[in-house]
Amino acid sequence: PRPCGSRSGEPKGNNLMSNLREAVLGPLPPNAPTLDVRDLSVTFPTRRGRVRAVVHASWRIAEGTTLGVVGESGCGKSVAALAVMGLIDPPGRIDSGHIAVCGTELRRLSEATMRRMRGKQVAMIFQEPMTALNPVLSVGEQVAEVLILHESLPRAAAWRSAVDLLDQVGIPLPMKRAREYPHHLSGGMRQRVMVAMALAGQPSLLIADEPTTALDVTVQAQILELMLSLQEAHGMAIQFISHDLGVVAEIADEVLVMYAGRVVERAPANQLFSDPRHPYTQGLLETRPSIGERREHLPAIPGSVPDPISLPSGCAFRDRCPRATGACLDRVPRIVSVGEGHDAACVVAEMP
């Protein structure tokens, strides 16, 4: 894999991100992760009160690895990703946090510099390509635009490279498809265009927000295989957001579980799926259907996600937790080590 922040075959100091990093923070520390997020908190004011969408969340992604992020709708997965991209629009705000990509602290950068980073160093595949793509531009023009902006290619060269990218992501007849508009393509084809756009600048970090939602299982498998093969070729770090635990188990090296804006468990994927320690993670895994077992009703976690404006005292999961004790009422549990590389935020887990 290429060094974090450099282009394949290019000296490490001869690109925009190396220059930015050295100007802002100095040389990249040895063994620095591609993404390092610490103590991230994001809030949104509403008429009913302040929504704490992400609360003191921390995670890291090493070069060439995949972090799966799971949790129910509204748990903060997508907001955390948008914070990394610098796309939290007012009145939303990042209250605290350190966000570094390849050693560059993103929150210290100007908006103009951050715009140059998006697509070149950090790219995102959004959940619904039909709303993310521009309906009045051909898909080839939209891929070429990334290359013109971030690689400074002339328009004709950018168009040729865009067609090559569409071919690389498995779109048949790429020259013909490049001239078509998003509504002419199937959902799977549109998602492949999004992948091509995201990879046009050879980013060090790719954030994929539910990239296979609403696609049939065959197309899902093709998109996932494509992402992993490109990761192997380019050494990207991937932050993969999903509701589908089966997909996460298949592709993630490490898994982050979020609930009510907080990280409640993080562990290597095989360890989390074989030995989940937080009651919420255990509940999520118990809801998975099994091919070899017939059930009249699938198990479900009782209750519902609490109102983010009026969270219960102590542990936000306590009213739904089968293991809740009196201690769960008193304080928000700290995230602590419960095994090698395995952390959980649970009062029961903290007990000796």
Side-chain angles (χ1 to χ4, degrees):
R2 62 181 173 81
C4 188
S6 68
R7 291 292 174 271
S8 178
E10 179 179 278
K12 194 169 183 179
N14 291 345
N15 63 83
L16 171 66
M17 285 315 305
S18 292
N19 296 336
L20 284 175
R21 180 173 61 244
E22 293 190 10
V24 176
L25 287 181
L28 179 67
N31 302 318
T34 297
L35 176 65
D36 184 7
V37 178
R38 284 180 254 163
D39 196 38
L40 176 66
S41 293
V42 182
T43 58
F44 294 89
T46 70
R47 292 181 179 179
R48 294 178 52 226
R50 187 176 62 147
V51 174
R52 303 178 73 195
V54 180
V55 186
H56 302 302
S58 299
W59 68 95
R60 287 182 161 200
I61 312 177
E63 184 174 308
T65 65
T66 299
L67 174 73
V69 183
V70 301
E72 292 169 278
S73 295
C75 71
K77 306 184 301 293
S78 294
V79 172
L82 292 172
V84 172
M85 295 292 296
L87 294 176
I88 301 295
D89 292 327
R93 55 177 287 180
I94 297 177
D95 293 322
S96 67
H98 160 89
I99 305 172
V101 173
C102 296
T104 299
E105 172 54 65
L106 302 191
R107 296 190 64 205
R108 297 185 190 179
L109 303 180
S110 67
E111 177 56 30
T113 302
M114 193 64 201
R115 279 198 300 268
R116 294 199 300 271
M117 281 195 64
R118 295 190 200 106
K120 188 173 183 72
Q121 189 72 3
V122 185
M124 187 167 181
I125 302 172
F126 293 92
Q127 181 173 347
E128 179 42 67
M130 198 59 193
T131 58
L133 293 170
N134 189 327
V136 300
L137 292 178
S138 71
V139 296
E141 288 178 287
Q142 295 184 61
V143 178
E145 188 177 24
V146 178
L147 296 161
I148 293 168
L149 179 63
H150 293 299
E151 302 297 331
S152 300
L153 291 182
R155 189 163 296 276
W159 176 264
R160 290 193 297 271
S161 295
V163 173
D164 287 342
L165 278 166
L166 294 177
D167 185 39
Q168 287 176 38
V169 299
I171 291 180
L173 304 173
M175 181 68 76
K176 176 178 181 292
R177 296 297 188 187
R179 295 188 175 92
E180 295 181 342
Y181 293 85
H183 67 275
H184 292 142
L185 306 181
S186 67
M189 289 291 184
R190 288 194 292 266
Q191 198 61 283
R192 288 173 185 269
V193 172
M194 291 292 295
V195 174
M197 290 176 65
L199 296 174
Q202 298 184 39
S204 295
L205 172 66
L206 175 66
I207 298 176
D209 188 1
E210 304 268 7
T212 57
T213 298
L215 301 178
D216 66 60
V217 292
T218 302
V219 178
Q220 281 188 30
Q222 292 171 349
I223 295 293
L224 294 174
E225 184 178 356
L226 169 65
M227 289 175 57
L228 293 178
S229 65
L230 292 169
Q231 178 186 49
E232 184 176 356
H234 298 292
M236 294 182 305
I238 297 177
Q239 182 169 320
F240 186 89
I241 302 167
S242 181
H243 286 95
D244 192 326
L245 293 170
V247 170
V248 171
E250 182 72 22
I251 73 167
D253 299 291
E254 189 175 14
V255 180
L256 194 78
V257 183
M258 296 188 69
Y259 184 80
R262 293 182 181 273
V263 175
V264 296
E265 188 161 6
R266 59 187 173 219
N270 58 353
Q271 192 168 336
L272 183 127
F273 283 95
S274 64
D275 184 25
R277 302 298 294 275
H278 195 282
Y280 176 61
T281 310
Q282 294 167 356
L284 286 178
L285 295 179
E286 287 170 2
T287 64
R288 292 182 301 169
S290 173
I291 293 176
E293 182 180 357
R294 295 181 62 87
R295 296 184 183 181
E296 186 174 347
H297 299 288
L298 287 174
I301 300 173
S304 58
V305 178
D307 185 339
I309 295 175
S310 54
L311 293 173
S313 62
C315 177
F317 187 61
R318 63 178 172 80
D319 292 336
R320 306 174 70 189
C321 181
R323 299 167 60 192
T325 68
C328 302
L329 303 173
D330 299 332
R331 62 184 175 86
V332 177
R334 302 175 297 121
I335 190 158
V336 298
S337 175
V338 294
E340 186 175 353
H342 194 160
D343 303 321
C346 177
V347 169
V348 176
E350 291 179 27
M351 295 177 180

